[in-house]
PDB file of all heavy atoms in Angstrom:
ATOM      1  N   TRP B  57      25.232  -6.000  10.249  1.00 98.00           N
ATOM      2  CA  TRP B  57      26.253  -6.062  11.293  1.00 98.00           C
ATOM      3  C   TRP B  57      25.632  -6.107  12.693  1.00 98.00           C
ATOM      4  O   TRP B  57      26.260  -5.709  13.668  1.00 98.00           O
ATOM      5  CB  TRP B  57      27.189  -4.855  11.178  1.00 98.00           C
ATOM      6  CG  TRP B  57      27.828  -4.748   9.830  1.00 98.00           C
ATOM      7  CD1 TRP B  57      27.572  -3.841   8.860  1.00 98.00           C
ATOM      8  CD2 TRP B  57      28.833  -5.619   9.283  1.00 98.00           C
ATOM      9  NE1 TRP B  57      28.338  -4.072   7.743  1.00 98.00           N
ATOM     10  CE2 TRP B  57      29.129  -5.156   7.976  1.00 98.00           C
ATOM     11  CE3 TRP B  57      29.516  -6.740   9.781  1.00 98.00           C
ATOM     12  CZ2 TRP B  57      30.071  -5.786   7.150  1.00 98.00           C
ATOM     13  CZ3 TRP B  57      30.455  -7.357   8.961  1.00 98.00           C
ATOM     14  CH2 TRP B  57      30.717  -6.879   7.670  1.00 98.00           C
ATOM     15  N   LEU B  60      27.785  -7.740  15.624  1.00 98.00           N
ATOM     16  CA  LEU B  60      28.989  -6.977  15.912  1.00 98.00           C
ATOM     17  C   LEU B  60      28.645  -5.656  16.600  1.00 98.00           C
ATOM     18  O   LEU B  60      29.255  -5.296  17.620  1.00 98.00           O
ATOM     19  CB  LEU B  60      29.756  -6.706  14.618  1.00 98.00           C
ATOM     20  CG  LEU B  60      31.026  -5.855  14.740  1.00 98.00           C
ATOM     21  CD1 LEU B  60      32.049  -6.550  15.625  1.00 98.00           C
ATOM     22  CD2 LEU B  60      31.615  -5.561  13.362  1.00 98.00           C
ATOM     23  N   TYR B  61      27.652  -4.935  16.060  1.00 97.00           N
ATOM     24  CA  TYR B  61      27.292  -3.641  16.636  1.00 97.00           C
ATOM     25  C   TYR B  61      26.696  -3.795  18.036  1.00 97.00           C
ATOM     26  O   TYR B  61      26.937  -2.958  18.910  1.00 97.00           O
ATOM     27  CB  TYR B  61      26.305  -2.906  15.731  1.00 97.00           C
ATOM     28  CG  TYR B  61      26.909  -2.400  14.440  1.00 97.00           C
ATOM     29  CD1 TYR B  61      26.118  -1.762  13.484  1.00 97.00           C
ATOM     30  CD2 TYR B  61      28.256  -2.533  14.159  1.00 97.00           C
ATOM     31  CE1 TYR B  61      26.664  -1.282  12.299  1.00 97.00           C
ATOM     32  CE2 TYR B  61      28.814  -2.065  12.979  1.00 97.00           C
ATOM     33  CZ  TYR B  61      28.007  -1.451  12.049  1.00 97.00           C
ATOM     34  OH  TYR B  61      28.551  -0.974  10.881  1.00 97.00           O
ATOM     35  N   GLU B  63      27.412  -6.145  20.170  1.00 96.00           N
ATOM     36  CA  GLU B  63      28.529  -6.466  21.063  1.00 96.00           C
ATOM     37  C   GLU B  63      29.307  -5.193  21.420  1.00 96.00           C
ATOM     38  O   GLU B  63      29.672  -4.979  22.571  1.00 96.00           O
ATOM     39  CB  GLU B  63      29.466  -7.474  20.401  1.00 96.00           C
ATOM     40  CG  GLU B  63      28.869  -8.864  20.210  1.00 96.00           C
ATOM     41  CD  GLU B  63      29.079  -9.772  21.412  1.00 96.00           C
ATOM     42  OE1 GLU B  63      29.730  -9.344  22.380  1.00 96.00           O
ATOM     43  OE2 GLU B  63      28.575 -10.908  21.371  1.00 96.00           O
ATOM     44  N   ILE B  64      29.567  -4.362  20.415  1.00 96.00           N
ATOM     45  CA  ILE B  64      30.315  -3.122  20.668  1.00 96.00           C
ATOM     46  C   ILE B  64      29.502  -2.176  21.555  1.00 96.00           C
ATOM     47  O   ILE B  64      30.038  -1.546  22.478  1.00 96.00           O
ATOM     48  CB  ILE B  64      30.672  -2.432  19.335  1.00 96.00           C
ATOM     49  CG1 ILE B  64      31.650  -3.290  18.526  1.00 96.00           C
ATOM     50  CG2 ILE B  64      31.279  -1.047  19.592  1.00 96.00           C
ATOM     51  CD1 ILE B  64      31.927  -2.773  17.128  1.00 96.00           C
ATOM     52  N   LEU B  86      32.047   4.423  13.468  1.00 95.00           N
ATOM     53  CA  LEU B  86      32.964   3.641  12.639  1.00 95.00           C
ATOM     54  C   LEU B  86      33.109   4.225  11.244  1.00 95.00           C
ATOM     55  O   LEU B  86      34.067   3.904  10.535  1.00 95.00           O
ATOM     56  CB  LEU B  86      32.490   2.181  12.561  1.00 95.00           C
ATOM     57  CG  LEU B  86      32.603   1.372  13.867  1.00 95.00           C
ATOM     58  CD1 LEU B  86      31.997  -0.016  13.692  1.00 95.00           C
ATOM     59  CD2 LEU B  86      34.053   1.273  14.336  1.00 95.00           C
ATOM     60  N   ILE B 106      34.340   2.672  21.186  1.00 93.00           N
ATOM     61  CA  ILE B 106      33.822   1.972  20.011  1.00 93.00           C
ATOM     62  C   ILE B 106      34.935   1.420  19.137  1.00 93.00           C
ATOM     63  O   ILE B 106      34.941   0.230  18.796  1.00 93.00           O
ATOM     64  CB  ILE B 106      32.886   2.891  19.201  1.00 93.00           C
ATOM     65  CG1 ILE B 106      31.545   3.044  19.945  1.00 93.00           C
ATOM     66  CG2 ILE B 106      32.641   2.319  17.791  1.00 93.00           C
ATOM     67  CD1 ILE B 106      30.591   4.040  19.315  1.00 93.00           C
ATOM     68  N   LYS B 107      35.887   2.253  18.768  1.00 92.00           N
ATOM     69  CA  LYS B 107      36.938   1.801  17.853  1.00 92.00           C
ATOM     70  C   LYS B 107      37.833   0.751  18.500  1.00 92.00           C
ATOM     71  O   LYS B 107      38.268  -0.205  17.845  1.00 92.00           O
ATOM     72  CB  LYS B 107      37.746   2.991  17.354  1.00 92.00           C
ATOM     73  CG  LYS B 107      36.918   3.896  16.444  1.00 92.00           C
ATOM     74  CD  LYS B 107      37.712   5.073  15.911  1.00 92.00           C
ATOM     75  CE  LYS B 107      36.840   5.938  15.009  1.00 92.00           C
ATOM     76  NZ  LYS B 107      37.558   7.146  14.530  1.00 92.00           N
ATOM     77  N   GLY B 108      38.104   0.908  19.794  1.00 93.00           N
ATOM     78  CA  GLY B 108      38.901  -0.097  20.498  1.00 93.00           C
ATOM     79  C   GLY B 108      38.189  -1.434  20.571  1.00 93.00           C
ATOM     80  O   GLY B 108      38.799  -2.488  20.353  1.00 93.00           O
ATOM     81  N   ARG B 109      36.885  -1.396  20.861  1.00 94.00           N
ATOM     82  CA  ARG B 109      36.090  -2.629  20.907  1.00 94.00           C
ATOM     83  C   ARG B 109      36.015  -3.275  19.528  1.00 94.00           C
ATOM     84  O   ARG B 109      36.071  -4.495  19.396  1.00 94.00           O
ATOM     85  CB  ARG B 109      34.664  -2.317  21.402  1.00 94.00           C
ATOM     86  CG  ARG B 109      34.566  -1.943  22.852  1.00 94.00           C
ATOM     87  CD  ARG B 109      34.478  -3.143  23.748  1.00 94.00           C
ATOM     88  NE  ARG B 109      33.222  -3.864  23.579  1.00 94.00           N
ATOM     89  CZ  ARG B 109      33.014  -5.122  23.984  1.00 94.00           C
ATOM     90  NH1 ARG B 109      34.008  -5.798  24.541  1.00 94.00           N
ATOM     91  NH2 ARG B 109      31.853  -5.705  23.811  1.00 94.00           N
ATOM     92  N   TYR B 110      35.888  -2.431  18.491  1.00 95.00           N
ATOM     93  CA  TYR B 110      35.832  -2.957  17.124  1.00 95.00           C
ATOM     94  C   TYR B 110      37.129  -3.696  16.790  1.00 95.00           C
ATOM     95  O   TYR B 110      37.100  -4.804  16.258  1.00 95.00           O
ATOM     96  CB  TYR B 110      35.600  -1.823  16.137  1.00 95.00           C
ATOM     97  CG  TYR B 110      35.662  -2.258  14.692  1.00 95.00           C
ATOM     98  CD1 TYR B 110      34.578  -2.889  14.092  1.00 95.00           C
ATOM     99  CD2 TYR B 110      36.807  -2.049  13.927  1.00 95.00           C
ATOM    100  CE1 TYR B 110      34.632  -3.307  12.768  1.00 95.00           C
ATOM    101  CE2 TYR B 110      36.874  -2.464  12.607  1.00 95.00           C
ATOM    102  CZ  TYR B 110      35.784  -3.090  12.036  1.00 95.00           C
ATOM    103  OH  TYR B 110      35.853  -3.512  10.735  1.00 95.00           O
ATOM    104  N   ASP B 111      38.253  -3.099  17.083  1.00 95.00           N
ATOM    105  CA  ASP B 111      39.549  -3.733  16.811  1.00 95.00           C
ATOM    106  C   ASP B 111      39.686  -5.055  17.551  1.00 95.00           C
ATOM    107  O   ASP B 111      40.201  -6.037  17.006  1.00 95.00           O
ATOM    108  CB  ASP B 111      40.695  -2.792  17.210  1.00 95.00           C
ATOM    109  CG  ASP B 111      40.784  -1.575  16.297  1.00 95.00           C
ATOM    110  OD1 ASP B 111      40.253  -1.639  15.176  1.00 95.00           O
ATOM    111  OD2 ASP B 111      41.364  -0.565  16.720  1.00 95.00           O
ATOM    112  N   GLU B 112      39.215  -5.079  18.779  1.00 96.00           N
ATOM    113  CA  GLU B 112      39.311  -6.300  19.606  1.00 96.00           C
ATOM    114  C   GLU B 112      38.399  -7.404  19.079  1.00 96.00           C
ATOM    115  O   GLU B 112      38.830  -8.549  18.876  1.00 96.00           O
ATOM    116  CB  GLU B 112      38.938  -5.954  21.049  1.00 96.00           C
ATOM    117  CG  GLU B 112      38.891  -7.134  21.993  1.00 96.00           C
ATOM    118  CD  GLU B 112      38.259  -6.780  23.336  1.00 96.00           C
ATOM    119  OE1 GLU B 112      38.055  -5.582  23.615  1.00 96.00           O
ATOM    120  OE2 GLU B 112      37.953  -7.722  24.096  1.00 96.00           O
ATOM    121  N   LEU B 113      37.124  -7.065  18.820  1.00 96.00           N
ATOM    122  CA  LEU B 113      36.143  -8.077  18.403  1.00 96.00           C
ATOM    123  C   LEU B 113      36.386  -8.557  16.974  1.00 96.00           C
ATOM    124  O   LEU B 113      36.017  -9.682  16.626  1.00 96.00           O
ATOM    125  CB  LEU B 113      34.727  -7.509  18.528  1.00 96.00           C
ATOM    126  CG  LEU B 113      34.281  -7.154  19.958  1.00 96.00           C
ATOM    127  CD1 LEU B 113      32.941  -6.445  19.942  1.00 96.00           C
ATOM    128  CD2 LEU B 113      34.209  -8.407  20.829  1.00 96.00           C
ATOM    129  N   SER B 114      36.997  -7.728  16.146  1.00 96.00           N
ATOM    130  CA  SER B 114      37.226  -8.094  14.752  1.00 96.00           C
ATOM    131  C   SER B 114      38.233  -9.227  14.581  1.00 96.00           C
ATOM    132  O   SER B 114      38.394  -9.755  13.479  1.00 96.00           O
ATOM    133  CB  SER B 114      37.705  -6.871  13.956  1.00 96.00           C
ATOM    134  OG  SER B 114      36.664  -5.922  13.850  1.00 96.00           O
ATOM    135  N   LYS B 115      38.889  -9.604  15.645  1.00 97.00           N
ATOM    136  CA  LYS B 115      39.834 -10.720  15.582  1.00 97.00           C
ATOM    137  C   LYS B 115      39.108 -12.070  15.541  1.00 97.00           C
ATOM    138  O   LYS B 115      39.704 -13.091  15.210  1.00 97.00           O
ATOM    139  CB  LYS B 115      40.779 -10.677  16.788  1.00 97.00           C
ATOM    140  CG  LYS B 115      41.671  -9.440  16.814  1.00 97.00           C
ATOM    141  CD  LYS B 115      42.472  -9.355  18.105  1.00 97.00           C
ATOM    142  CE  LYS B 115      43.294  -8.074  18.156  1.00 97.00           C
ATOM    143  NZ  LYS B 115      44.011  -7.927  19.454  1.00 97.00           N
ATOM    144  N   VAL B 116      37.824 -12.063  15.886  1.00 97.00           N
ATOM    145  CA  VAL B 116      37.013 -13.296  15.921  1.00 97.00           C
ATOM    146  C   VAL B 116      36.057 -13.285  14.726  1.00 97.00           C
ATOM    147  O   VAL B 116      35.218 -12.389  14.614  1.00 97.00           O
ATOM    148  CB  VAL B 116      36.208 -13.393  17.236  1.00 97.00           C
ATOM    149  CG1 VAL B 116      35.414 -14.702  17.283  1.00 97.00           C
ATOM    150  CG2 VAL B 116      37.133 -13.273  18.443  1.00 97.00           C
ATOM    151  N   ARG B 117      36.172 -14.279  13.832  1.00 98.00           N
ATOM    152  CA  ARG B 117      35.402 -14.262  12.573  1.00 98.00           C
ATOM    153  C   ARG B 117      33.902 -14.145  12.799  1.00 98.00           C
ATOM    154  O   ARG B 117      33.227 -13.345  12.126  1.00 98.00           O
ATOM    155  CB  ARG B 117      35.695 -15.518  11.751  1.00 98.00           C
ATOM    156  CG  ARG B 117      34.962 -15.532  10.399  1.00 98.00           C
ATOM    157  CD  ARG B 117      35.208 -16.813   9.624  1.00 98.00           C
ATOM    158  NE  ARG B 117      34.909 -17.968  10.422  1.00 98.00           N
ATOM    159  CZ  ARG B 117      35.724 -19.019  10.577  1.00 98.00           C
ATOM    160  NH1 ARG B 117      36.873 -19.034   9.943  1.00 98.00           N
ATOM    161  NH2 ARG B 117      35.395 -20.036  11.340  1.00 98.00           N
ATOM    162  N   LYS B 118      33.325 -14.911  13.695  1.00 98.00           N
ATOM    163  CA  LYS B 118      31.871 -14.904  13.862  1.00 98.00           C
ATOM    164  C   LYS B 118      31.364 -13.543  14.358  1.00 98.00           C
ATOM    165  O   LYS B 118      30.216 -13.173  14.101  1.00 98.00           O
ATOM    166  CB  LYS B 118      31.429 -16.012  14.810  1.00 98.00           C
ATOM    167  CG  LYS B 118      31.962 -15.892  16.228  1.00 98.00           C
ATOM    168  CD  LYS B 118      31.605 -17.122  17.035  1.00 98.00           C
ATOM    169  CE  LYS B 118      32.158 -17.030  18.459  1.00 98.00           C
ATOM    170  NZ  LYS B 118      31.913 -18.277  19.214  1.00 98.00           N
ATOM    171  N   LEU B 119      32.251 -12.789  15.044  1.00 98.00           N
ATOM    172  CA  LEU B 119      31.889 -11.430  15.466  1.00 98.00           C
ATOM    173  C   LEU B 119      32.212 -10.431  14.366  1.00 98.00           C
ATOM    174  O   LEU B 119      31.402  -9.555  14.055  1.00 98.00           O
ATOM    175  CB  LEU B 119      32.626 -11.064  16.751  1.00 98.00           C
ATOM    176  CG  LEU B 119      32.348 -11.953  17.964  1.00 98.00           C
ATOM    177  CD1 LEU B 119      33.171 -11.509  19.160  1.00 98.00           C
ATOM    178  CD2 LEU B 119      30.859 -11.944  18.314  1.00 98.00           C
ATOM    179  N   ARG B 120      33.394 -10.577  13.765  1.00 97.00           N
ATOM    180  CA  ARG B 120      33.802  -9.672  12.687  1.00 97.00           C
ATOM    181  C   ARG B 120      32.813  -9.692  11.530  1.00 97.00           C
ATOM    182  O   ARG B 120      32.430  -8.660  10.990  1.00 97.00           O
ATOM    183  CB  ARG B 120      35.194 -10.066  12.185  1.00 97.00           C
ATOM    184  CG  ARG B 120      35.692  -9.204  11.025  1.00 97.00           C
ATOM    185  CD  ARG B 120      37.059  -9.653  10.545  1.00 97.00           C
ATOM    186  NE  ARG B 120      37.049 -10.941   9.870  1.00 97.00           N
ATOM    187  CZ  ARG B 120      37.611 -12.040  10.329  1.00 97.00           C
ATOM    188  NH1 ARG B 120      38.243 -12.040  11.484  1.00 97.00           N
ATOM    189  NH2 ARG B 120      37.548 -13.183   9.647  1.00 97.00           N
ATOM    190  N   GLU B 121      32.381 -10.893  11.144  1.00 97.00           N
ATOM    191  CA  GLU B 121      31.443 -11.039  10.029  1.00 97.00           C
ATOM    192  C   GLU B 121      29.993 -11.077  10.480  1.00 97.00           C
ATOM    193  O   GLU B 121      29.086 -11.195   9.667  1.00 97.00           O
ATOM    194  CB  GLU B 121      31.781 -12.294   9.219  1.00 97.00           C
ATOM    195  CG  GLU B 121      33.202 -12.321   8.665  1.00 97.00           C
ATOM    196  CD  GLU B 121      33.509 -11.188   7.693  1.00 97.00           C
ATOM    197  OE1 GLU B 121      32.566 -10.475   7.291  1.00 97.00           O
ATOM    198  OE2 GLU B 121      34.689 -11.028   7.338  1.00 97.00           O
ATOM    199  N   SER B 122      29.789 -11.007  11.800  1.00 98.00           N
ATOM    200  CA  SER B 122      28.454 -10.859  12.369  1.00 98.00           C
ATOM    201  C   SER B 122      27.489 -11.962  11.935  1.00 98.00           C
ATOM    202  O   SER B 122      26.524 -11.732  11.200  1.00 98.00           O
ATOM    203  CB  SER B 122      27.896  -9.478  11.983  1.00 98.00           C
ATOM    204  OG  SER B 122      26.869  -9.067  12.856  1.00 98.00           O
ATOM    205  N   THR B 141      35.799 -18.377   5.203  1.00 98.00           N
ATOM    206  CA  THR B 141      36.226 -17.038   5.621  1.00 98.00           C
ATOM    207  C   THR B 141      36.137 -16.059   4.454  1.00 98.00           C
ATOM    208  O   THR B 141      35.620 -14.942   4.587  1.00 98.00           O
ATOM    209  CB  THR B 141      37.667 -17.065   6.176  1.00 98.00           C
ATOM    210  OG1 THR B 141      37.707 -17.938   7.322  1.00 98.00           O
ATOM    211  CG2 THR B 141      38.126 -15.680   6.597  1.00 98.00           C
TER     212      THR B 141
END
Side-chain angles (χ1 to χ4, degrees):
W57 304 108
L60 177 62
Y61 289 177
E63 292 272 357
I64 294 173
L86 291 175
I106 286 174
K107 292 181 180 177
R109 290 275 292 163
Y110 174 79
D111 291 340
E112 176 191 349
L113 296 173
S114 292
K115 296 173 183 176
V116 182
R117 182 183 53 230
K118 63 187 179 185
L119 300 178
R120 178 181 70 247
E121 302 298 350
S122 201
T141 299

